[in-house]
Amino acid sequence: MKTMLEALDIRSLVRKEDLQPTVILLAAAIMTTLQRTFGSLDAARRFFPGCDGMTASLFMFSTAFVLFGAIPMLVVLNVFGEDPAEYGLRLGDWKFGLRATGQLLPLIACTLLYPASVNPEIRQAFPFAPEAGRSPGAFLMFQAPRGILFYTAWEFFFRGFILFGLRRYVGDWMAICIQTIPQCLWH
């Protein structure tokens, strides 16, 4: 007796040359949905009643790392058989990056961060973990996992896996537009 997958012959639905963009587009929808449904702050509070903001945030950062970082990396390595550097996972021009960050940070702080910090709607939603503001150590205990787990995976998934994974099929501008859609929807 044939298995269901054999009977459906799923492989015949996608041409070999379309496998990579199909996997990337499906992953964009599936991973963002899973993270918002099962990896969010609200999900952490459902799964772990009574947890504080730091614990809920660490849960969200960790699930994002798995769904946006680890799983797509395994797909790149084991399904596509490609080098992660092709998906932007490399240092690049880090000296320019440090210089540009140092020069633009004051501008960003003045034009975006300060006005946002006094906006009542923003203040109601952030910070995720009010406990993080109690001491410099607590702040670092919040920001380190946020940067390492959440934002590293976030950048790899949207700017690496989706953008670089699709650009050879649809071109640079269309790949930018496509990766922007799930990123905006996640927000």
Side-chain angles (χ1 to χ4, degrees), residues 2-14:
K2 290 184 176 181
T3 66
M4 188 165 109
L5 288 177
E6 290 171 334
L8 290 173
D9 193 16
I10 299 294
R11 289 174 293 191
S12 70
L13 297 176
V14 179

mmCIF file of all heavy atoms in Angstrom, residues 2-14:
data_model
loop_
_atom_site.group_PDB
_atom_site.id
_atom_site.type_symbol
_atom_site.label_atom_id
_atom_site.label_comp_id
_atom_site.label_asym_id
_atom_site.label_seq_id
_atom_site.Cartn_x
_atom_site.Cartn_y
_atom_site.Cartn_z
ATOM 1 N N LYS A 2 0.550 2.219 -0.804
ATOM 2 C CA LYS A 2 1.314 3.456 -0.900
ATOM 3 C C LYS A 2 1.031 4.350 0.308
ATOM 4 O O LYS A 2 -0.088 4.381 0.813
ATOM 5 C CB LYS A 2 0.930 4.227 -2.164
ATOM 6 C CG LYS A 2 1.393 3.593 -3.438
ATOM 7 C CD LYS A 2 1.026 4.495 -4.592
ATOM 8 C CE LYS A 2 1.563 3.946 -5.879
ATOM 9 N NZ LYS A 2 1.250 4.810 -7.010
ATOM 10 N N THR A 3 2.078 5.091 0.703
ATOM 11 C CA THR A 3 1.854 6.084 1.751
ATOM 12 C C THR A 3 1.109 7.261 1.135
ATOM 13 O O THR A 3 1.033 7.405 -0.090
ATOM 14 C CB THR A 3 3.186 6.590 2.345
ATOM 15 O OG1 THR A 3 3.886 7.306 1.339
ATOM 16 C CG2 THR A 3 4.028 5.440 2.893
ATOM 17 N N MET A 4 0.577 8.084 2.002
ATOM 18 C CA MET A 4 -0.182 9.232 1.516
ATOM 19 C C MET A 4 0.696 10.150 0.656
ATOM 20 O O MET A 4 0.265 10.643 -0.384
ATOM 21 C CB MET A 4 -0.749 10.017 2.697
ATOM 22 C CG MET A 4 -1.709 11.107 2.289
ATOM 23 S SD MET A 4 -2.650 11.685 3.683
ATOM 24 C CE MET A 4 -1.928 13.273 3.908
ATOM 25 N N LEU A 5 1.956 10.390 1.093
ATOM 26 C CA LEU A 5 2.850 11.250 0.313
ATOM 27 C C LEU A 5 3.155 10.652 -1.054
ATOM 28 O O LEU A 5 3.220 11.363 -2.051
ATOM 29 C CB LEU A 5 4.141 11.508 1.073
ATOM 30 C CG LEU A 5 4.024 12.436 2.278
ATOM 31 C CD1 LEU A 5 5.360 12.553 2.990
ATOM 32 C CD2 LEU A 5 3.513 13.801 1.878
ATOM 33 N N GLU A 6 3.326 9.330 -1.099
ATOM 34 C CA GLU A 6 3.566 8.690 -2.390
ATOM 35 C C GLU A 6 2.345 8.802 -3.284
ATOM 36 O O GLU A 6 2.447 9.046 -4.484
ATOM 37 C CB GLU A 6 3.934 7.213 -2.193
ATOM 38 C CG GLU A 6 5.294 7.008 -1.576
ATOM 39 C CD GLU A 6 5.535 5.546 -1.202
ATOM 40 O OE1 GLU A 6 4.572 4.811 -0.958
ATOM 41 O OE2 GLU A 6 6.704 5.163 -1.175
ATOM 42 N N ALA A 7 1.170 8.625 -2.696
ATOM 43 C CA ALA A 7 -0.063 8.701 -3.469
ATOM 44 C C ALA A 7 -0.285 10.115 -4.013
ATOM 45 O O ALA A 7 -0.728 10.294 -5.142
ATOM 46 C CB ALA A 7 -1.255 8.269 -2.616
ATOM 47 N N LEU A 8 0.027 11.115 -3.185
ATOM 48 C CA LEU A 8 -0.153 12.496 -3.625
ATOM 49 C C LEU A 8 0.949 12.943 -4.572
ATOM 50 O O LEU A 8 0.757 13.867 -5.355
ATOM 51 C CB LEU A 8 -0.178 13.436 -2.415
ATOM 52 C CG LEU A 8 -1.393 13.342 -1.507
ATOM 53 C CD1 LEU A 8 -1.196 14.209 -0.274
ATOM 54 C CD2 LEU A 8 -2.648 13.749 -2.249
ATOM 55 N N ASP A 9 2.126 12.295 -4.479
ATOM 56 C CA ASP A 9 3.297 12.655 -5.279
ATOM 57 C C ASP A 9 3.535 14.162 -5.212
ATOM 58 O O ASP A 9 3.492 14.874 -6.219
ATOM 59 C CB ASP A 9 3.152 12.178 -6.719
ATOM 60 C CG ASP A 9 4.485 12.256 -7.464
ATOM 61 O OD1 ASP A 9 5.541 12.372 -6.801
ATOM 62 O OD2 ASP A 9 4.469 12.222 -8.707
ATOM 63 N N ILE A 10 3.761 14.640 -3.990
ATOM 64 C CA ILE A 10 3.975 16.059 -3.721
ATOM 65 C C ILE A 10 5.082 16.634 -4.607
ATOM 66 O O ILE A 10 5.004 17.771 -5.058
ATOM 67 C CB ILE A 10 4.329 16.279 -2.234
ATOM 68 C CG1 ILE A 10 3.205 15.807 -1.327
ATOM 69 C CG2 ILE A 10 4.695 17.719 -1.942
ATOM 70 C CD1 ILE A 10 1.926 16.590 -1.438
ATOM 71 N N ARG A 11 6.120 15.848 -4.858
ATOM 72 C CA ARG A 11 7.231 16.348 -5.666
ATOM 73 C C ARG A 11 6.777 16.790 -7.055
ATOM 74 O O ARG A 11 7.374 17.677 -7.646
ATOM 75 C CB ARG A 11 8.317 15.289 -5.778
ATOM 76 C CG ARG A 11 9.058 15.073 -4.455
ATOM 77 C CD ARG A 11 9.996 13.945 -4.592
ATOM 78 N NE ARG A 11 9.165 12.759 -4.764
ATOM 79 C CZ ARG A 11 9.582 11.526 -4.713
ATOM 80 N NH1 ARG A 11 10.842 11.286 -4.555
ATOM 81 N NH2 ARG A 11 8.759 10.515 -4.846
ATOM 82 N N SER A 12 5.715 16.209 -7.558
ATOM 83 C CA SER A 12 5.257 16.587 -8.899
ATOM 84 C C SER A 12 4.570 17.953 -8.901
ATOM 85 O O SER A 12 4.363 18.542 -9.952
ATOM 86 C CB SER A 12 4.303 15.529 -9.455
ATOM 87 O OG SER A 12 3.072 15.562 -8.737
ATOM 88 N N LEU A 13 4.207 18.448 -7.720
ATOM 89 C CA LEU A 13 3.552 19.755 -7.646
ATOM 90 C C LEU A 13 4.529 20.914 -7.830
ATOM 91 O O LEU A 13 4.139 22.008 -8.200
ATOM 92 C CB LEU A 13 2.829 19.908 -6.303
ATOM 93 C CG LEU A 13 1.690 18.924 -6.033
ATOM 94 C CD1 LEU A 13 1.159 19.140 -4.627
ATOM 95 C CD2 LEU A 13 0.600 19.064 -7.067
ATOM 96 N N VAL A 14 5.797 20.679 -7.538
ATOM 97 C CA VAL A 14 6.799 21.729 -7.617
ATOM 98 C C VAL A 14 7.941 21.257 -8.505
ATOM 99 O O VAL A 14 8.530 20.216 -8.253
ATOM 100 C CB VAL A 14 7.345 22.069 -6.205
ATOM 101 C CG1 VAL A 14 8.406 23.144 -6.293
ATOM 102 C CG2 VAL A 14 6.233 22.490 -5.279
#
